[in-house]
Amino acid sequence: MVEAKLSYNPAEFEDVSLHILLVDDEPNIREALTEFLTTINQHKVVSVGSGEEALELFKPDVFDCAFLDLKMPGMDGLDLLTRIKEIDQALPVVVMTGFPSLDAAVGTMRHGASDFLIKPFSLQQVKASLERVVREQRLLQENLRLNEELKQKQKIEALNKELERRIKYQNTIHQISEKIDCLQSSEELYQGIADMGAFHLACAKAAVLLLDRASNQLLAIAVHGHPDSLMGRTAGTLQSGICGKVASEGEPMVGQPGQDLILDSILGLTSPYLCQPIKIRGEVFGVMVASDKSGGRLFSSRDLFIGRFLLNKAALSIENIALYESMVADLHSTLGALVRAMEAKDSYTRRHSLRVTNLSVLTAQHIGLDIAQIESLRFAAYLHDIGKIGIKDMVLLKPDKLTDEEFQHIKQHPVIGESITQAMDLTDGERSIIRHHHESWNGKGYPDGLAGNEIPLLARIVAVADAFDAMTTDRPYRRAKNRNEAVSVLMRCSGEQFDPDVVSAFLETLNRYHSMEEMDQEAATHESELVAASLSGGTL
């Protein structure tokens, strides 16, 4: 009975000419909405710029609906909504805001709003919202008619429950949307699906299984309430068992213990469970399994709706992140190839960039920099000499001391390096490492002559690591210094060429290792991390 009342024929909307109250303090928005609402079906629009003006005009049974801006000088939209509802409780009201939040949405719904539009919105969204409030108006009129004429308490309660259900749905949808929009990687999204699936479906356990098309196996990628040891294990195969059937046919199913022996044994299922497909562009690439529903209750149509919304929303984000991570992987591969091509010219500097990267990262970790800074350093330090690809070979590979002219030429490599990465997706901080790693604490470095704290901290760290590795490596025109000799040079140049605090942290880092061989072993560990990150499309 209630579901029938909620059905709506769009053709009926085209025959309705409404008297609409529009309240917004922005003239451009009032003008655009008035023109649009007037043209779509000759609606009559009364437009005002403040809550006070609107309240003076407002009379019972004059307006069919209202559009109110939430944030206005003087009387705001929530106050106006409250006052309007005191005069005409049945009036459908759409609240508009450019500052959306879950609290604002729930607050306006509790005060009687029928819909919530987030600026900037399209005119099509306005039309859809208007259709919804017309539908809501008819529902409310039916509610009043039943209350006043039929006095059928059961019907009124059913309508009220339906309205409460819709508010709860909107609340849940807002929560899911806001949470997913905050997740920045595929790993976070998969875990978010498991966590939110368990929470919003009121289940103690949830698992996300990805479909490996090469082997047709479903592999556990994220779990909630299950042991972490399940990660990476096979929990089913395509077309086999409940999950395999869902993955094959793309339709949700409720399973019972004993119907899928592999899944039962892996996930330890002892009660009914809901299995829903995860799709990208219509193709199944995984499933979510939610189980152990609280109170032993059965899964409902609401669970199907919430689960489907969660998975559809997450799938869009996963697709976008996958595209971004693919672009980042291509970028890293390209830049890495340039570095290797540059170092391949000179056997004396081969692996120099890798050693500088690891020395820089170890120092940054000792200083206590945050993960984001260390990851930026790990990426940009590896590229610090990429500009040497633009230096003439006769200068770069010269076995003797450089002339002044040649030295001026090679001093251009930080600027060339920044130029190479200018059009690429590097942060300003990462590019600053490449440009400023030859600046000096006393202002006598290059290319910009920055001094002291004008030089970015990460560039100061790379400068010390770069100098140490250069001194302890054989060059065509000189033999390498030993470790103690290089340390003496750093101490002598501390406060002149190098930041004394960075030199101190660098030397304390060196003292953690008994030999250069031990440092080389640590460098090899970081090299493995670097390669793994590059192959996975993660951050170098």
Side-chain angles (χ1 to χ4, degrees), residues 294-305:
S294 64
R297 298 194 302 269
L298 299 177
F299 289 98
S300 65
S301 58
R302 176 193 178 277
D303 296 324
L304 287 171
F305 171 81

Side-chain angles (χ1 to χ4, degrees), residues 267-287:
L267 300 185
L269 300 174
T270 58
S271 62
Y273 54 91
L274 175 61
C275 185
Q276 291 182 278
I278 309 172
K279 301 179 182 179
I280 288 183
R281 299 189 180 185
E283 182 176 354
V284 176
F285 73 97
V287 298

Side-chain angles (χ1 to χ4, degrees), residues 43 53 75 97 102 176 213 296 311 526:
H43 298 308
E53 293 177 81
M75 181 183 295
T97 182
L102 180 59
I176 291 172
R213 289 286 179 182
L311 298 180
H526 282 288

Side-chain angles (χ1 to χ4, degrees), residues 301-521:
S301 58
R302 176 193 178 277
D303 296 324
L304 287 171
F305 171 81
I306 295 299
R308 182 169 63 250
F309 177 83
L310 164 64
L311 298 180
N312 288 344
K313 176 71 175 176
L316 289 173
S317 295
I318 289 170
E319 183 178 19
N320 291 335
I321 287 176
L323 290 173
Y324 173 76
E325 290 179 345
S326 177
M327 290 171 60
V328 171
D330 290 343
L331 167 65
H332 291 178
S333 297
T334 300
L335 294 178
L338 283 173
V339 171
R340 290 190 293 274
M342 180 268 297
E343 292 189 340
K345 293 181 179 181
D346 184 4
S347 60
Y348 289 94
T349 62
R350 196 163 298 154
R351 296 175 62 83
H352 166 72
S353 296
L354 181 60
R355 292 193 298 270
V356 170
T357 297
N358 285 284
L359 288 170
S360 299
V361 167
L362 291 173
T363 303
Q365 290 172 335
H366 181 74
I367 291 173
L369 298 189
D370 61 40
I371 293 175
Q373 290 175 299
I374 291 174
E375 288 306 303
S376 287
L377 183 64
R378 190 190 301 278
F379 178 44
Y382 188 68
L383 306 174
H384 75 283
D385 273 342
I386 195 171
K388 288 184 178 179
I389 199 80
I391 300 300
K392 298 175 183 177
D393 286 353
M394 60 181 293
V395 175
L396 188 64
L397 304 178
K398 185 177 180 179
D400 303 317
K401 187 175 181 180
L402 299 178
T403 66
D404 289 343
E405 183 180 355
E406 290 168 339
F407 185 57
Q408 290 302 316
H409 176 55
I410 206 167
K411 282 168 65 175
Q412 294 303 308
H413 80 269
V415 177
I416 296 171
E418 186 194 29
S419 253
I420 290 173
T421 60
Q422 192 67 46
M424 299 178 181
D425 190 21
L426 273 68
T427 66
D428 291 341
E430 290 165 351
R431 279 194 292 271
S432 73
I433 294 173
I434 296 168
R435 183 179 181 91
H436 298 304
H437 71 279
H438 279 298
E439 303 285 0
S440 293
W441 186 253
N442 59 12
K444 296 181 180 180
Y446 59 89
D448 298 316
L450 301 183
N453 290 326
E454 294 177 339
I455 308 168
L457 174 59
L458 300 184
R460 284 179 259 153
I461 293 173
V462 172
V464 174
D466 185 32
F468 180 82
D469 188 72
M471 287 188 287
T472 55
T473 304
D474 285 333
R475 296 296 169 93
Y477 49 87
R478 62 152 174 80
R479 298 290 298 171
K481 297 180 183 296
N482 63 37
R483 176 173 173 165
N484 291 335
E485 291 171 335
V487 167
S488 296
V489 173
L490 291 180
M491 293 175 66
R492 187 170 67 250
C493 295
S494 177
E496 291 293 327
Q497 184 176 352
F498 306 115
D499 178 348
D501 291 336
V502 172
V503 170
S504 176
F506 182 84
L507 297 181
E508 289 172 3
T509 301
L510 285 181
N511 288 336
R512 290 163 44 196
Y513 304 94
H514 299 295
S515 66
M516 292 301 294
E517 288 74 16
E518 188 177 349
M519 290 191 70
D520 288 341
Q521 183 177 3

